[in-house]
Amino acid sequence: MHTLILAVKIGIFVGILVLYLRWRKRFASSEQVLSEIQGFAAWAQNNKEKVLRYTRMMEAVAGLFLLCLGYYIGKDHFHLIRDGVRAQGMIVGYKQEYFPGSITAASTSSFTAFMPIVKFQAGEQDVEFKDWMGTDAAVKNVRVMVLYDPENPSVAMIDRPVWNWIPWAPTLGAGLFLLFVGVRGWMTSKSN
């Protein structure tokens, strides 16, 4: 996975370099840059309907993407919020996980988090699970409220009133908004 990310970064860098080398004479002076910007602004003003049509299309596509992403990352959380059963649990340990980030010349943005291992009682059964949200300090024997699926108790999470909805609900909301704005704009342009 790390190799794939590195290959994508190198590809983007090479693409930007090729564009720069190809267009550097065109943008040699600030007057040329200003005239190019003014030319684009005039073109956009003359082709307003075409620009708006493609803008609305991109809003709808971005909205659909965010809706799918929000559903993918939030379907289990929403199921637990809607149908889950609450039980008292105890943090019995932590699993240390490394999250690689971007590596720049100045620093690296990777970090290590401690993912809580929680034990709780589901009926007569003792259940242990690793929570999805880590912390930077490992404190054991802390009582927590757990949300779990009564049909599959291993699907569980620590009940955090606000964090239960993060990051998937804002992603769904932004996707819904963009889809609504794109479709509404397309519908009003068709009626005119």
mmCIF file of all heavy atoms in Angstrom, residues 36-52 55:
data_model
loop_
_atom_site.group_PDB
_atom_site.id
_atom_site.type_symbol
_atom_site.label_atom_id
_atom_site.label_comp_id
_atom_site.label_asym_id
_atom_site.label_seq_id
_atom_site.Cartn_x
_atom_site.Cartn_y
_atom_site.Cartn_z
ATOM 1 N N GLU A 36 -4.317 35.844 -19.799
ATOM 2 C CA GLU A 36 -4.904 34.504 -19.831
ATOM 3 C C GLU A 36 -6.100 34.408 -18.889
ATOM 4 O O GLU A 36 -7.132 33.829 -19.227
ATOM 5 C CB GLU A 36 -3.860 33.442 -19.452
ATOM 6 C CG GLU A 36 -2.783 33.228 -20.474
ATOM 7 C CD GLU A 36 -3.272 32.429 -21.668
ATOM 8 O OE1 GLU A 36 -4.205 31.630 -21.528
ATOM 9 O OE2 GLU A 36 -2.693 32.620 -22.750
ATOM 10 N N ILE A 37 -5.961 34.972 -17.696
ATOM 11 C CA ILE A 37 -7.065 34.943 -16.724
ATOM 12 C C ILE A 37 -8.253 35.739 -17.249
ATOM 13 O O ILE A 37 -9.405 35.300 -17.161
ATOM 14 C CB ILE A 37 -6.587 35.475 -15.357
ATOM 15 C CG1 ILE A 37 -5.595 34.495 -14.727
ATOM 16 C CG2 ILE A 37 -7.765 35.721 -14.413
ATOM 17 C CD1 ILE A 37 -4.922 35.010 -13.478
ATOM 18 N N GLN A 38 -7.993 36.913 -17.812
ATOM 19 C CA GLN A 38 -9.078 37.726 -18.364
ATOM 20 C C GLN A 38 -9.739 37.030 -19.549
ATOM 21 O O GLN A 38 -10.953 37.106 -19.729
ATOM 22 C CB GLN A 38 -8.556 39.105 -18.766
ATOM 23 C CG GLN A 38 -8.217 39.974 -17.574
ATOM 24 C CD GLN A 38 -7.514 41.262 -17.968
ATOM 25 O OE1 GLN A 38 -6.976 41.388 -19.070
ATOM 26 N NE2 GLN A 38 -7.506 42.224 -17.038
ATOM 27 N N GLY A 39 -8.935 36.328 -20.352
ATOM 28 C CA GLY A 39 -9.501 35.576 -21.477
ATOM 29 C C GLY A 39 -10.405 34.457 -20.988
ATOM 30 O O GLY A 39 -11.479 34.225 -21.543
ATOM 31 N N PHE A 40 -9.989 33.754 -19.939
ATOM 32 C CA PHE A 40 -10.826 32.694 -19.376
ATOM 33 C C PHE A 40 -12.100 33.274 -18.777
ATOM 34 O O PHE A 40 -13.178 32.707 -18.938
ATOM 35 C CB PHE A 40 -10.049 31.905 -18.319
ATOM 36 C CG PHE A 40 -10.898 30.865 -17.654
ATOM 37 C CD1 PHE A 40 -11.227 29.709 -18.330
ATOM 38 C CD2 PHE A 40 -11.376 31.056 -16.367
ATOM 39 C CE1 PHE A 40 -12.024 28.743 -17.738
ATOM 40 C CE2 PHE A 40 -12.179 30.106 -15.764
ATOM 41 C CZ PHE A 40 -12.503 28.945 -16.451
ATOM 42 N N ALA A 41 -11.989 34.411 -18.090
ATOM 43 C CA ALA A 41 -13.176 35.042 -17.504
ATOM 44 C C ALA A 41 -14.163 35.456 -18.590
ATOM 45 O O ALA A 41 -15.378 35.280 -18.438
ATOM 46 C CB ALA A 41 -12.769 36.247 -16.662
ATOM 47 N N ALA A 42 -13.666 35.983 -19.694
ATOM 48 C CA ALA A 42 -14.551 36.370 -20.802
ATOM 49 C C ALA A 42 -15.206 35.140 -21.422
ATOM 50 O O ALA A 42 -16.404 35.148 -21.731
ATOM 51 C CB ALA A 42 -13.753 37.138 -21.859
ATOM 52 N N TRP A 43 -14.433 34.068 -21.594
ATOM 53 C CA TRP A 43 -14.999 32.833 -22.135
ATOM 54 C C TRP A 43 -16.092 32.293 -21.216
ATOM 55 O O TRP A 43 -17.149 31.872 -21.682
ATOM 56 C CB TRP A 43 -13.901 31.784 -22.310
ATOM 57 C CG TRP A 43 -14.437 30.472 -22.769
ATOM 58 C CD1 TRP A 43 -14.680 30.089 -24.045
ATOM 59 C CD2 TRP A 43 -14.846 29.375 -21.942
ATOM 60 N NE1 TRP A 43 -15.198 28.822 -24.077
ATOM 61 C CE2 TRP A 43 -15.317 28.356 -22.780
ATOM 62 C CE3 TRP A 43 -14.858 29.161 -20.570
ATOM 63 C CZ2 TRP A 43 -15.785 27.146 -22.305
ATOM 64 C CZ3 TRP A 43 -15.329 27.955 -20.087
ATOM 65 C CH2 TRP A 43 -15.787 26.964 -20.950
ATOM 66 N N ALA A 44 -15.824 32.298 -19.903
ATOM 67 C CA ALA A 44 -16.816 31.791 -18.946
ATOM 68 C C ALA A 44 -18.078 32.641 -18.965
ATOM 69 O O ALA A 44 -19.196 32.120 -18.850
ATOM 70 C CB ALA A 44 -16.217 31.757 -17.541
ATOM 71 N N GLN A 45 -17.931 33.948 -19.123
ATOM 72 C CA GLN A 45 -19.097 34.838 -19.180
ATOM 73 C C GLN A 45 -19.905 34.593 -20.465
ATOM 74 O O GLN A 45 -21.135 34.595 -20.433
ATOM 75 C CB GLN A 45 -18.647 36.305 -19.111
ATOM 76 C CG GLN A 45 -19.754 37.275 -18.870
ATOM 77 C CD GLN A 45 -20.390 37.086 -17.494
ATOM 78 O OE1 GLN A 45 -19.744 36.690 -16.545
ATOM 79 N NE2 GLN A 45 -21.678 37.360 -17.408
ATOM 80 N N ASN A 46 -19.225 34.356 -21.564
ATOM 81 C CA ASN A 46 -19.917 34.104 -22.835
ATOM 82 C C ASN A 46 -20.558 32.714 -22.883
ATOM 83 O O ASN A 46 -21.498 32.497 -23.645
ATOM 84 C CB ASN A 46 -18.948 34.262 -24.014
ATOM 85 C CG ASN A 46 -18.503 35.695 -24.200
ATOM 86 O OD1 ASN A 46 -19.196 36.629 -23.788
ATOM 87 N ND2 ASN A 46 -17.337 35.877 -24.785
ATOM 88 N N ASN A 47 -20.033 31.766 -22.130
ATOM 89 C CA ASN A 47 -20.552 30.400 -22.102
ATOM 90 C C ASN A 47 -21.136 30.060 -20.728
ATOM 91 O O ASN A 47 -20.897 28.975 -20.194
ATOM 92 C CB ASN A 47 -19.433 29.404 -22.453
ATOM 93 C CG ASN A 47 -18.907 29.625 -23.846
ATOM 94 O OD1 ASN A 47 -19.648 29.519 -24.803
ATOM 95 N ND2 ASN A 47 -17.633 29.949 -23.942
ATOM 96 N N LYS A 48 -21.912 30.970 -20.182
ATOM 97 C CA LYS A 48 -22.414 30.835 -18.816
ATOM 98 C C LYS A 48 -23.263 29.575 -18.633
ATOM 99 O O LYS A 48 -23.119 28.860 -17.644
ATOM 100 C CB LYS A 48 -23.229 32.077 -18.459
ATOM 101 C CG LYS A 48 -23.550 32.191 -17.016
ATOM 102 C CD LYS A 48 -24.216 33.534 -16.727
ATOM 103 C CE LYS A 48 -24.398 33.706 -15.256
ATOM 104 N NZ LYS A 48 -24.959 35.006 -14.934
ATOM 105 N N GLU A 49 -24.122 29.274 -19.587
ATOM 106 C CA GLU A 49 -24.987 28.093 -19.461
ATOM 107 C C GLU A 49 -24.174 26.802 -19.445
ATOM 108 O O GLU A 49 -24.451 25.897 -18.668
ATOM 109 C CB GLU A 49 -26.012 28.063 -20.597
ATOM 110 C CG GLU A 49 -27.158 29.034 -20.402
ATOM 111 C CD GLU A 49 -27.913 28.779 -19.097
ATOM 112 O OE1 GLU A 49 -28.242 27.608 -18.801
ATOM 113 O OE2 GLU A 49 -28.162 29.751 -18.381
ATOM 114 N N LYS A 50 -23.165 26.732 -20.305
ATOM 115 C CA LYS A 50 -22.329 25.530 -20.352
ATOM 116 C C LYS A 50 -21.549 25.365 -19.047
ATOM 117 O O LYS A 50 -21.477 24.266 -18.492
ATOM 118 C CB LYS A 50 -21.360 25.630 -21.529
ATOM 119 C CG LYS A 50 -20.498 24.396 -21.711
ATOM 120 C CD LYS A 50 -19.450 24.606 -22.783
ATOM 121 C CE LYS A 50 -19.988 24.192 -24.128
ATOM 122 N NZ LYS A 50 -18.954 24.191 -25.177
ATOM 123 N N VAL A 51 -20.998 26.463 -18.526
ATOM 124 C CA VAL A 51 -20.245 26.415 -17.275
ATOM 125 C C VAL A 51 -21.160 25.983 -16.129
ATOM 126 O O VAL A 51 -20.799 25.120 -15.319
ATOM 127 C CB VAL A 51 -19.577 27.780 -16.980
ATOM 128 C CG1 VAL A 51 -19.016 27.825 -15.573
ATOM 129 C CG2 VAL A 51 -18.499 28.085 -18.000
ATOM 130 N N LEU A 52 -22.360 26.560 -16.056
ATOM 131 C CA LEU A 52 -23.295 26.194 -14.992
ATOM 132 C C LEU A 52 -23.738 24.738 -15.106
ATOM 133 O O LEU A 52 -23.889 24.047 -14.097
ATOM 134 C CB LEU A 52 -24.509 27.121 -15.017
ATOM 135 C CG LEU A 52 -24.261 28.545 -14.508
ATOM 136 C CD1 LEU A 52 -25.504 29.392 -14.680
ATOM 137 C CD2 LEU A 52 -23.814 28.533 -13.063
ATOM 138 N N THR A 55 -20.904 22.652 -13.849
ATOM 139 C CA THR A 55 -20.760 22.858 -12.410
ATOM 140 C C THR A 55 -21.810 22.061 -11.653
ATOM 141 O O THR A 55 -21.512 21.403 -10.660
ATOM 142 C CB THR A 55 -20.877 24.356 -12.068
ATOM 143 O OG1 THR A 55 -19.867 25.066 -12.782
ATOM 144 C CG2 THR A 55 -20.703 24.595 -10.585
#
